[in-house]
Amino acid sequence: MSYTVGQVAGFAGVTVRTLHHYDRTGLLTPGERSAGGYRRYSDTDLARLQQILFYRELGFALDEIAEILADPGACALDQLKARRQALREQIGKLERLVEVAERAMEVQQTGVRLSPRERFEVFGEITFDLSYATEAELKWQDSAGHRAAMQNAAAHSKEDWARLMAEAADWRDELLAAFDDDEPAAGERARDIAEAHRLHITRWFTDCPPDMHLRIADDFVDDPRAFALVVPPSQQRPGLADYLRTAVRANAEAQVEPHIQREIRGKSHPKREGDGWVGDASVTAPEAEGTGEGR
């Protein structure tokens, strides 16, 4: 028994155009033709179509499907194993994104809702990158420090944010003045500025010991999006992020035991799994809007 292209399209839930395309590419060429030259599909053709649709559902490209069907014994199992791993990774990523969305909804429900005008009044030039916030949330979602920072940020009122940002602006002015005055990055003045930043994080968001503070400063150098949350681009100077990191390192060395100082003096500080942080008042400012920033 054979079937027309319209009948097969109805059976399989695909369009006639799709079947025509499969025929043109050689992926599924009907084994029969009617007296008028029209395509006729046999039961064998339908079985092959079922295989094609199965692999398509798994996300295989048409050329990959053609390769599998050409020699199924040689590569189908390996291809399926690879696809299974890819699907598992995709599922894991989607599950993490669901958690991000749920956390964002929680912040929306409990955090401060500011109008666009209020946000401008409070945060000024400080802007935030949604991709950076999402990456930070995915990376630090299991961190106790990150969770504490999110909870504290969500609890801040508009007045809290205004005081917090004013404090951050005063600190930023001190940093820029020291840098412009060519103060040594490891000198007392720069170390005091670094310590003020560490205490600012502890006061407004989460406990920030010196080693965590150094990891924050590493990120300021490694990721311009992070540093822009501390010093807006219009106020940045070449080398300023490195200057701040050097000051943070010097301050950290002054506060820890000598055997730990040797580790800190390395080029960069190792980032440990499970550590989370909030880099500045401005880093978590968008959390009041449900964005889930933190690191």
Side-chain angles (χ1 to χ4, degrees), residues 4-22 28 41 46 49-50 52-54 56-57:
T4 67
V5 66
Q7 288 175 317
V8 173
F11 296 158
V14 298
T15 65
V16 170
R17 171 182 279 187
T18 295
L19 293 173
H20 286 173
H21 178 68
Y22 290 170
L28 177 62
Y41 291 81
L46 293 182
L49 176 60
Q50 187 176 35
I52 293 169
L53 297 180
F54 168 72
R56 284 292 286 163
E57 186 69 20

Side-chain angles (χ1 to χ4, degrees), residues 145-213:
H146 174 67
R147 289 194 298 271
M150 288 214 32
Q151 291 169 359
N152 289 331
H156 292 338
S157 66
K158 178 186 174 184
E159 290 72 25
D160 290 333
W161 283 115
R163 290 194 297 272
L164 184 159
M165 295 302 294
E167 182 180 300
D170 290 341
W171 171 84
R172 187 162 53 248
D173 289 343
E174 291 289 334
L175 172 66
L176 295 173
F179 183 82
D180 292 341
D181 291 344
D182 293 324
E183 286 283 344
E188 182 177 0
R189 181 179 174 186
R191 293 199 310 271
D192 288 346
I193 292 170
E195 176 65 5
H197 183 256
R198 187 183 73 83
L199 295 177
H200 171 87
I201 297 170
T202 297
R203 182 163 47 254
W204 290 102
F205 299 107
T206 188
D207 184 48
C208 182
D211 61 335
M212 180 186 290
H213 195 209

Side-chain angles (χ1 to χ4, degrees), residues 14 32 45 91 99 103 106 112 126 138 160 170 184 188 196 200 224 232 263-264 271 292:
V14 298
E32 300 177 18
D45 296 328
I91 288 169
E99 292 180 9
R103 292 191 184 199
E106 289 175 2
V112 179
I126 296 296
L138 290 173
D160 290 333
D170 290 341
E188 182 177 0
H200 171 87
E263 179 183 4
I264 292 177
K271 296 183 179 180

Side-chain angles (χ1 to χ4, degrees), residues 70-180:
D71 191 2
C75 62
L77 183 59
D78 290 341
Q79 293 271 20
L80 286 170
K81 286 181 178 179
R83 183 62 57 184
R84 179 181 62 184
Q85 181 60 32
L87 289 171
R88 283 177 174 170
E89 292 174 358
Q90 185 178 7
I91 288 169
K93 181 177 181 180
L94 291 174
E95 287 177 343
R96 291 192 296 271
L97 288 174
V98 168
E99 292 180 9
V100 171
E102 289 175 346
R103 292 191 184 199
M105 289 188 291
E106 289 175 2
V107 174
Q108 283 281 16
Q109 292 166 358
T110 60
V112 179
R113 292 183 174 87
L114 302 179
S115 69
R117 179 175 180 177
E118 289 173 325
R119 287 195 296 270
F120 180 78
E121 291 173 354
V122 171
F123 302 125
E125 285 187 78
I126 296 296
T127 59
F128 114 111
D129 188 308
L130 180 58
S131 65
Y132 177 76
T134 302
E135 289 171 16
E137 174 64 22
L138 290 173
K139 183 174 183 179
W140 303 116
Q141 59 184 332
D142 296 324
S143 162
H146 174 67
R147 289 194 298 271
M150 288 214 32
Q151 291 169 359
N152 289 331
H156 292 338
S157 66
K158 178 186 174 184
E159 290 72 25
D160 290 333
W161 283 115
R163 290 194 297 272
L164 184 159
M165 295 302 294
E167 182 180 300
D170 290 341
W171 171 84
R172 187 162 53 248
D173 289 343
E174 291 289 334
L175 172 66
L176 295 173
F179 183 82
D180 292 341

Side-chain angles (χ1 to χ4, degrees), residues 125-127 172 176 227-237:
E125 285 187 78
I126 296 296
T127 59
R172 187 162 53 248
L176 295 173
F227 193 54
L229 294 168
V230 179
V231 180
S234 66
Q235 294 182 274
Q236 291 181 15
R237 281 80 156 150

